[in-house]
Every structure is written in C-alpha cells, then in structure tokens.
Amino acid sequence: FLSCSFSIHVFSLLASAFTLIAHHALAQVLYGALYVPFALLALWSLYAASTTNPGAVPMGARPIPANLAAESDSIVTERDPNRGGMRRR
C-alpha cells in the first residue's frame, strides 16, 4: 500500500529533525515553520496520488464544447526568435 517513496520521505523528515538540526535553535524554528508544512503537503499529495483511481472522472465534469475543442486544435505555437519564448500563430 505505501510505497518506498513514502517511506523515504518520512525517514528524511525524522532523520533531519532528530540528527541534523537537534542542537541548533534557529534551524529548528525554520525547520518547523518551512520544511515540515511543505513535507506534510508532499506526503499528503503522494498519499492522495497513490490511492486515487487514475481513470476516475470528477463528479459534475462536462465535455468541452465542440466549438472550443475545434478552436484549441487549430492553435499552433512556435518559438519566437526575437524574444526567445513561445508564441501563437
């Protein structure tokens, strides 16, 4: 059920807390304020992605109207030599 990736994320969260920053107060504050929330969001996202049916269609989803679908098929993008980005033709 839980993947190796999930285990590695949990291990890194715990190892960094108990060994790498155990004696630095500022590092612990930054760790608790920045790293832990993002790590928990990453773990939740990993869990949600691994338990979600990949072929599921959300309730209330409707097909794209034919006129918009045809319009998006005709849009061509190409590199803009002047600005270095992409542009529509």
Side-chain angles (χ1 to χ4, degrees):
F1 175 75
L2 294 178
S3 67
C4 181
S5 180
F6 189 84
S7 301
I8 290 172
H9 279 80
V10 170
F11 174 76
S12 68
L13 187 66
L14 296 175
S16 59
F18 292 122
T19 59
L20 297 177
I21 62 168
H23 305 292
H24 298 42
L26 179 60
Q28 290 175 350
V29 169
L30 292 174
Y31 178 80
L34 298 176
Y35 184 76
V36 171
F38 287 117
L40 293 177
L41 285 173
L43 287 172
W44 178 255
S45 177
L46 182 62
Y47 172 76
S50 65
T51 58
T52 301
N53 180 0
V57 177
M59 295 294 291
R62 291 183 245 164
I64 298 174
N67 61 345
L68 292 178
E71 180 181 315
S72 67
D73 289 340
S74 65
I75 295 174
V76 178
T77 57
E78 62 183 16
R79 286 220 176 267
D80 186 354
N82 298 327
R83 293 187 292 169
M86 300 296 283
R87 68 175 175 166
R88 291 183 179 183
R89 270 198 296 158

